[in-house]
Amino acid sequence: MSKKQNAKTPPNKDILERINFLSEAAKASAQDSNLVNLSQHFGAEAHLIALKSKIRIRPQKIFCKNCKTALVAPLTATVTKTNNCMIYKCKLCQSQHRVYLSEKKK
């Protein structure tokens, strides 16, 4: 007998749950200044798992691209909004990440 998967459950559900758990743990540990290194470790692990399984982490502004720290707005990142983009600046490595805001298509 072969096992059939539901049409609604993705085949890599366990991997998605692990990435979600690691990103939530990275956000929680980034809120304490003593645990920033742990946040970097969790972010790097989530990034490696996503690379190995070819899954994109959405939204992309969760982690810093350079040091993989969870970007929590007042604690580990500053957020600046211009007329058409949001600029996330990491407080640890000073790298910037721009997210362009697109207008909704009708």
Side-chain angles (χ1 to χ4, degrees):
M1 295 179 68
S2 64
K3 293 182 180 179
K4 293 183 179 180
Q5 293 182 348
N6 287 340
K8 295 180 181 180
T9 59
N12 48 7
K13 184 182 177 203
D14 55 340
I15 297 171
L16 291 172
E17 288 177 355
R18 178 138 176 94
I19 291 172
N20 187 26
F21 173 77
L22 287 171
S23 59
E24 291 296 323
K27 285 181 193 177
S29 61
Q31 293 178 356
D32 188 6
S33 62
N34 297 331
L35 299 176
V36 173
N37 290 336
L38 188 62
S39 173
Q40 289 176 341
H41 176 71
F42 287 151
E45 286 292 320
H47 181 73
L48 285 176
I49 291 171
L51 282 178
K52 286 181 181 178
S53 60
K54 297 181 182 176
I55 296 175
R56 291 185 184 222
I57 297 176
R58 297 285 184 188
Q60 292 181 347
K61 57 188 173 284
I62 292 176
F63 298 113
C64 175
K65 286 185 174 182
N66 191 21
C67 65
K68 305 290 187 270
T69 303
L71 295 176
V72 180
L75 302 172
T76 60
T78 57
V79 180
T80 308
K81 182 178 179 184
T82 62
N83 56 359
N84 63 347
C85 71
M86 300 272 292
I87 302 170
Y88 292 87
K89 184 175 181 182
C90 181
K91 289 184 178 180
L92 299 176
C93 65
Q94 304 301 320
S95 65
Q96 291 184 355
H97 176 63
R98 292 176 184 258
V99 177
Y100 289 97
L101 304 173
S102 61
E103 295 182 14
K104 293 182 180 178
K105 295 181 181 180
K106 293 181 180 179

